[in-house]
Amino acid sequence: MATAADLALLAAGAVWPSAAGTAALLAASALTVSTNGLHNTAVAEYAGPDWAGRALGVHGTGQHVAIVLVPPLAGALITGFGFAPAFALAALAAVLAVAVLPRADGAARWAGPGGAAPGASDPGASPAPLTGGGASPSGSGAAGPTARR
């Protein structure tokens, strides 16, 4: 939310130049990179050990798609409409990011009736792994493909 507030101030500073707009630009430069690296840790923690690799792959792919698309789209927006709308759109993106993040207690922010996320039977349950692992067919409790050798 600090990034969203700062980007909103930056958008206002683009319309009404002031020292606050300059300070907002400096703060945005720090805020937008201050969590660099922590996102990977958070993705792996939230996904759990069975899904961490897949979640990091999807996360990395999404980041790389954004890295390719955002600069030319932001440049086109700035060329057509100026800096203020581009900064305002960036602030909106930051607010939307907060809205889709899980809460600290693990519950979904977008809760349906009864507090559960739409389509979720147990918001705290970890998803089952898609490959390997699990108990052996013999019921011995040994896990993974090596248990069947």
Side-chain angles (χ1 to χ4, degrees):
M1 288 308 296
T3 299
D6 184 57
L7 287 168
L9 183 59
L10 188 54
V15 175
W16 302 288
S18 67
T22 303
L25 179 60
L26 294 173
S29 299
L31 282 171
T32 57
V33 297
S34 65
T35 60
N36 194 12
L38 293 176
H39 53 87
N40 289 318
T41 302
V43 166
E45 283 182 8
Y46 280 115
D50 293 330
W51 284 69
R54 179 169 290 173
L56 286 167
V58 170
H59 174 67
T61 299
Q63 282 189 309
H64 287 94
V65 167
I67 288 168
V68 168
L69 294 178
V70 169
L73 293 175
L77 181 64
I78 291 167
T79 299
F81 301 97
F83 283 96
F87 293 144
L89 187 60
L92 177 63
V95 169
L96 293 175
V98 169
V100 299
L101 289 173
R103 294 187 334 208
D105 63 4
R109 289 190 190 277
W110 294 95
S121 58
D122 182 5
S126 295
L130 294 180
T131 60
S136 70
S138 66
S140 66
T146 57
R148 296 185 189 109
R149 291 187 187 164

